[in-house]
Amino acid sequence: MSIRTQKWAPEGPGAERLTLHQLEMPDPGAGEVMIAVRAVGLNRIDAINLAGGAPDIGYEVSGTVAALGPDAGGHDVGDEVLSFRVKGGYATAVTVATRDVFGKPPSLGWAEAANLLLTGTTAAEMVHRTEIAAGDVVLVHGASGAVGISAVQQSKLRGARVLGTASRKNWDLLRRFGAEPVAYGPGLEQRVRELTDRVDVALDAVGTAEAVDVSLALVADRRRIASSAASDRAKSDGFWIAGHETDSAAYRDQVRSHLIELAGAGRLTVPMAKTFPFAEAPDALNLVASGHAGGNVALLV
């Protein structure tokens, strides 16, 4: 069976160099699933990879099973699915190893399903590495962003008290998920100290000097500071950076099913900031690259 796909591929660095191609999809091979894509999740790493000259961008999608290769058990043609560990996900059809394809909970929309796992596994690893437990006081920097809001929810699920930095326009979003909002900017450390006499854990989803400096000032044990963005400071100041442990990929892979179960049960929400038609991928990626998307962004096919 032959399926045509449209795929956005870079002709050079920058979203303006994305070009839409028409391709014939070969039949899926052994242990592979072909997905007719309904939504593509966009992430900051896509923009970073594009700027670095990566030939393919896009790590997660949702859609329906279009075809199965030999030994691709666990799914049937027509099943609604989501997938993370996709290569070249900015497409209307993709072929993925069956181990990276999961049933989509009926309660999740296409856009939410396509944005669950990359940010969700990043946040899960940060929560796991810092050993958040009931009674901990957790400060989440960039709490209204895609990684941040997942980290807020996952910390709350462990019984922590959560403070989250965000602009005032996003405070209601943080309160919706049980976090106490704090304005970022000059004086952040003092504002946090006025709310609590201790901070046990800091999770940084923005990577700014302010986020790192305040985390170091407030958290006594640097093993309980984690960042998804400040890799240089992590090396120099001795705290943990997401995705850099030898078992990071293995941990993120094994936690995917758990996150899907939580989302299906309504215990982990994926708030969408904006969706774009598939034809507007460059505009969507520019918004994500700006750092001001305000949450999750998806392309709808």
Side-chain angles (χ1 to χ4, degrees), residues 10-292:
E11 302 293 336
E16 68 280 358
R17 299 298 299 278
L18 283 175
T19 303
L20 191 58
H21 298 263
Q22 304 283 337
L23 302 171
E24 290 285 341
M25 294 282 288
D27 292 343
E32 292 184 334
V33 176
M34 184 185 294
I35 300 172
V37 174
R38 295 292 300 272
V40 181
L42 274 65
N43 294 280
R44 287 288 301 278
I45 191 65
D46 299 339
I48 293 169
N49 287 345
L50 182 59
D56 288 300
I57 56 173
Y59 287 100
E60 54 186 341
V61 302
S62 64
T64 58
V65 174
L68 298 167
D71 302 318
H75 306 284
D76 294 312
V77 172
D79 283 355
E80 295 185 352
V81 295
L82 60 95
S83 182
F84 170 54
R85 297 294 187 201
V86 174
K87 182 179 180 180
Y90 285 39
T92 59
V94 295
T95 298
V96 187
T98 189
R99 65 178 177 273
D100 297 321
V101 180
F102 303 86
K104 182 182 80 67
S107 58
L108 281 187
W110 296 114
E112 290 81 4
N115 280 274
L116 172 64
L117 288 180
L118 191 151
T119 55
T121 57
T122 299
E125 192 182 11
M126 294 169 74
V127 168
H128 169 70
R129 297 290 180 185
T130 54
E131 300 181 343
I132 292 173
D136 279 338
V137 179
V138 179
L139 175 63
V140 179
H141 297 279
S144 64
V147 172
I149 202 66
S150 188
V152 165
Q153 295 176 78
Q154 294 187 54
S155 298
K156 292 294 293 184
L157 286 171
R158 290 195 173 203
R161 177 189 176 192
V162 180
L163 284 63
T165 71
S167 61
R168 289 185 180 273
K169 67 180 181 180
N170 291 316
W171 282 16
D172 285 345
L173 175 67
L174 298 192
R175 292 188 179 107
R176 173 184 165 193
F177 294 110
E180 301 168 50
V182 188
Y184 57 76
L188 173 60
E189 179 186 342
Q190 183 57 36
R191 288 191 292 277
V192 173
R193 291 187 184 278
E194 289 170 358
L195 291 172
T196 181
D197 60 0
R198 77 176 203 276
V199 175
D200 302 296
V201 177
L203 306 180
D204 164 35
V206 290
T208 61
E210 174 189 75
V212 173
D213 291 342
V214 170
S215 297
L216 292 171
L218 293 173
V219 179
D221 185 350
R222 295 193 179 188
R223 294 172 299 179
R224 306 199 79 190
I225 299 173
S227 175
S228 63
S231 56
D232 290 341
R233 288 295 300 272
K235 294 176 184 176
S236 63
D237 291 290
F239 57 88
W240 187 83
I241 184 74
H244 283 226
E245 297 295 318
T246 55
D247 62 345
S248 287
Y251 175 80
R252 294 187 186 202
D253 282 352
Q254 66 90 13
V255 82
R256 292 177 297 182
S257 294
H258 176 61
L259 296 176
I260 293 168
E261 290 175 5
L262 289 175
R267 301 179 67 201
L268 180 62
T269 299
V270 183
M272 296 303 302
K274 191 169 183 179
T275 61
F276 289 79
F278 183 76
E280 297 178 13
D283 292 338
L285 190 56
N286 276 328
L287 174 62
V288 172
S290 73
H292 300 293

